[in-house]
Amino acid sequence: MRRRIFGTIASAVVLGLLIPLSGCGGSDDSAGDSGTLRLVAAEYGNTPANSSKAFWDKVTDEFTTAHPDVRVEVELLPWADIDREVSRRVKAGKAPDMALMGAYSDFAAQGKLYPAEELLPVSAEANFLQPLAEAGSVGNSLYGLPFVASSRLLFYNKALFTKAGVADPPKTWSQLKAAAKALKDKGVRFPYAMPLGPEEAHAEAMIWEISNGGGYADSSGNYSLASDQNIQTWQWVKDNLVSPGLVGPTPPGQFNRADAFAAFLRGEVGMLNGYPSLAHEAAAKGIDVGTVEMPVSDFLGTGDSPPTVGVADWMMAFKQNGKRTEIGQFLNFLYQDANLTDFAGRYHLLPSTVSAARTPTGGGLGTTDQNFLVALRTARLYPVNDPSWVKVSDTVKRNIGRAVEPGSDPKTVLEDIAAQAAEAGKNS
């Protein structure tokens, strides 16, 4: 029987939306006393100065002031470790009360999580942005509560475009190719930066695939990793961008997202796909950046407008310690507009609720962030509600770069990825 998955894709898994930092906080696995909640959360900061600790100290202090009988202890772990560590604790019977991380569906499939309907009032559950709520649901129940999110747009360096004589950002793949060639002719090191290295290749891959009507899942919600559209996509990318040298000197399969972003901030990249924090970093360095939706494939009709890619991180509540009431109290407090916009603003991400996204509470959203929010409202997310997604995404990350290597056959590479994904589905 084929596994049904969420068909409207996108993240950061995530992936983590920012560079990981070494963990903060204690490492006590015990369930603790009945008046203490334990939250294991990913660290979003990349230096001690912008650690998430400041946010959690503020929120937990304010919560305990309002609820003196309940304390909340927060342990911060790096993105590279948190999924594995939380899984270890759950398997050992020492689950935290809550976790904020990039995947939730394997715990939901095991019956380990409270659904949102047992934690939040109906109005709060209905307040989540629709694409995020769908991605956080298994069946008809919301188990992964979206916390912060992001979307991807095509960035272009306006100064380099002017230098290359490119008047307008591309709207089609052929226009993107023409712009990349003009940039290369003017000596731009990475005309189009294509990070297909193992750090985050599945994000770049999905952006290209959905812009040609493909993606990771078909209209029925089943994996379609080796679809005709996807094969066509990677053959075009290989023939029109990689082989002519329009992606820069580093082979895409060896080029990570962090490397591409760093090169963009050095002024060496003409175009790449990015998210809000990169726009803010570029502005701080005086780089004049334009952002547009990913150009559409020339194989599609001229009226087609593929969705953007969205990424979210998930809050989940574990049943093991039986603290449903206390968890519900804390989550209702945490998901107030002021708290969501505070956290999102610290890291240039997007809040997960309708009300937080439209209110100036906590600083609101600037013009740049609003553009990403508009894209997020109709974005596709990764199929994070399928328990096999963690393994499938890892397979994509480590193999999709082979599709554009010299002498490779994209069809063979995609069929190999699909076969590994099918095996992962059987074992999940």
Side-chain angles (χ1 to χ4, degrees):
M1 180 176 179
R2 298 179 75 189
R3 180 186 302 277
R4 174 164 173 77
I5 62 174
F6 180 56
T8 61
I9 1 200
S11 315
V13 192
V14 194
L15 298 166
L17 297 172
L18 290 177
I19 302 170
L21 179 72
S22 57
C24 305
S27 58
D28 184 6
D29 287 356
S30 64
D33 61 82
S34 59
T36 300
L37 293 176
R38 285 184 164 78
L39 165 63
V40 177
E43 169 61 88
Y44 284 70
N46 56 5
T47 68
N50 70 353
S51 169
S52 304
K53 183 179 185 300
F55 171 83
W56 292 113
D57 284 349
K58 174 178 176 290
V59 167
T60 55
D61 286 348
E62 291 175 351
F63 173 76
T64 299
T65 298
H67 300 82
D69 296 333
V70 183
R71 264 188 350 113
V72 182
E73 293 183 356
V74 181
E75 178 184 356
L76 299 179
L77 294 177
W79 279 106
D81 299 338
I82 188 168
D83 286 11
R84 181 177 64 251
E85 176 61 17
V86 171
S87 295
R88 181 192 71 78
R89 296 185 192 183
V90 172
K91 187 175 182 180
K94 297 178 179 180
D97 299 299
M98 297 166 287
L100 173 60
M101 48 196 270
Y104 72 90
S105 58
D106 50 345
F107 302 126
Q110 298 171 44
K112 302 286 188 182
L113 303 179
Y114 288 114
E117 62 197 41
E118 296 184 20
L119 302 168
L120 303 175
V122 173
S123 59
E125 188 175 352
N127 193 26
F128 290 115
L129 292 166
Q130 187 61 29
L132 306 183
E134 290 180 4
S137 297
V138 176
N140 295 320
S141 295
L142 180 68
Y143 290 97
L145 279 62
F147 187 62
V148 286
S150 182
S151 60
R152 303 297 173 94
L153 294 173
L154 181 74
F155 285 49
Y156 62 99
N157 185 312
K158 291 184 177 180
L160 294 182
F161 264 49
T162 299
K163 178 182 177 181
V166 181
D168 300 304
K171 295 182 179 180
T172 64
W173 284 5
S174 59
Q175 291 175 6
L176 185 149
K177 176 184 177 181
K181 184 177 185 307
L183 289 161
K184 181 183 180 182
D185 290 346
K186 289 297 182 180
V188 175
R189 183 172 173 82
F190 297 94
Y192 177 88
M194 179 170 286
L196 296 179
E199 178 192 2
E200 202 182 35
H202 59 314
E204 181 73 12
M206 195 177 73
I207 291 168
W208 278 95
E209 290 176 0
I210 66 175
S211 68
N212 190 34
Y216 293 147
D218 60 24
S219 59
S220 298
N222 299 303
Y223 281 125
S224 58
L225 298 165
S227 67
D228 291 343
Q229 296 100 317
N230 291 350
I231 293 169
Q232 185 182 56
T233 293
W234 293 109
Q235 191 67 59
W236 188 93
V237 169
K238 179 184 177 184
D239 294 343
N240 291 274
L241 294 181
V242 180
S243 295
L246 301 181
V247 297
T250 307
Q254 300 173 27
F255 197 42
N256 281 320
R257 188 266 305 161
D259 302 321
F261 280 19
F264 187 82
L265 295 174
R266 292 194 301 267
E268 299 176 353
V269 174
M271 297 174 283
L272 88 173
N273 286 300
Y275 46 69
S277 62
L278 178 62
H280 288 273
E281 290 181 70
K285 289 183 174 293
I287 299 174
D288 193 4
V289 177
T291 57
V292 294
E293 293 183 355
M294 177 65 185
V296 65
S297 161
D298 296 275
F299 300 112
L300 297 181
T302 55
D304 289 328
S305 180
T308 55
V309 167
V311 180
D313 295 330
W314 312 98
M315 179 71 73
M316 64 210 74
F318 289 91
K319 293 179 177 179
Q320 180 179 301
N321 302 319
K323 299 179 183 177
R324 182 182 65 83
T325 299
E326 293 86 351
I327 293 172
Q329 290 174 336
F330 178 68
L331 292 181
N332 271 284
F333 182 86
L334 176 64
Y335 277 86
Q336 292 177 9
D337 290 351
N339 292 328
L340 284 182
T341 54
D342 179 9
F343 191 90
R346 290 171 187 250
Y347 301 106
H348 300 301
L349 299 171
L350 304 174
S352 60
T353 65
V354 174
S355 59
R358 70 187 179 199
T359 177
T361 302
L365 299 176
T367 301
T368 299
D369 292 335
Q370 285 287 357
N371 294 336
F372 286 94
L373 178 62
V374 170
L376 180 64
R377 289 188 175 120
T378 57
R380 290 188 181 181
L381 277 78
Y382 301 126
V384 291
N385 50 5
D386 185 86
S388 68
W389 171 242
V390 172
K391 294 179 181 177
V392 171
S393 64
D394 187 67
T395 299
V396 173
K397 284 189 290 186
R398 298 184 184 282
N399 290 279
I400 193 62
R402 295 192 293 115
V404 296
E405 290 177 351
S408 70
D409 175 23
K411 183 175 185 290
T412 300
V413 173
L414 290 177
E415 288 176 344
D416 179 52
I417 291 173
Q420 293 185 56
E423 190 63 29
K426 293 177 184 178
N427 297 327
S428 63

